[in-house]
């Protein structure tokens, strides 16, 4: 049984402001952070969270995983402030 996976970009938008993409993928970011905390293998995480086959294209899968994990970390360090302030930067 296949589950519905949100669409995603190869790399999330970068920059100092919260994006609509960040808001749409908040759950994905949290799940990536949980997987990292639990020391899950990145291949397992990318297969479960992105519905990608890391055996088929490991370089692409690793890039997608790492880029989204980096943005998830940004959210915990800076982006959350914008959520708390109603989405305004600063």
């Amino acid at each position: 049984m296949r589950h519905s996976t949100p669409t995603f970009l190869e790399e999330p938008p970068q920059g100092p402001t919260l994006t609509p993409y960040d808001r749409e993928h908040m759950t994905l970011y949290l799940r990536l952070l949980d997987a990292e905390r639990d020391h899950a293998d990145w291949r397992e995480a990318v297969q479960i969270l992105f519905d990608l086959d890391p055996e088929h294209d490991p370089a692409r899968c690793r890039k997608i995983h790492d880029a989204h994990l980096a943005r998830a970390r940004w959210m915990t360090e800076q982006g959350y402030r914008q959520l708390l302030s109603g989405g305004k930067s600063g």
Side-chain angles (χ1 to χ4, degrees):
M1 178 169 89
R2 292 270 239 205
H3 53 82
S4 171
T5 303
T7 58
F8 58 88
L9 300 173
E10 296 286 313
E11 292 186 43
Q14 300 298 305
T17 58
L18 194 64
T19 68
Y21 186 90
D22 293 324
R23 291 178 184 280
E24 181 181 340
H25 292 83
M26 195 70 56
T27 301
L28 173 65
Y29 293 164
L30 292 171
R31 292 181 72 195
L32 280 166
L33 292 167
D34 285 347
E36 180 183 49
R37 180 200 63 216
D38 294 343
H39 305 289
D41 186 280
W42 72 268
R43 290 174 286 265
E44 181 181 5
V46 82
Q47 189 170 17
I48 293 168
L49 300 178
F50 294 92
D51 199 24
L52 296 174
D53 181 0
E55 299 300 318
H56 176 73
D57 192 350
R60 176 177 174 256
C61 290
R62 185 66 189 246
K63 181 179 176 184
I64 289 169
H65 173 271
D66 290 354
H68 283 80
L69 180 57
R71 190 64 176 180
R73 289 181 187 136
W74 174 85
M75 288 293 299
T76 67
E77 296 163 2
Q78 297 176 24
Y80 76 93
R81 293 182 188 123
Q82 293 174 40
L83 284 173
L84 296 174
S85 69
K88 299 177 186 104
S89 62

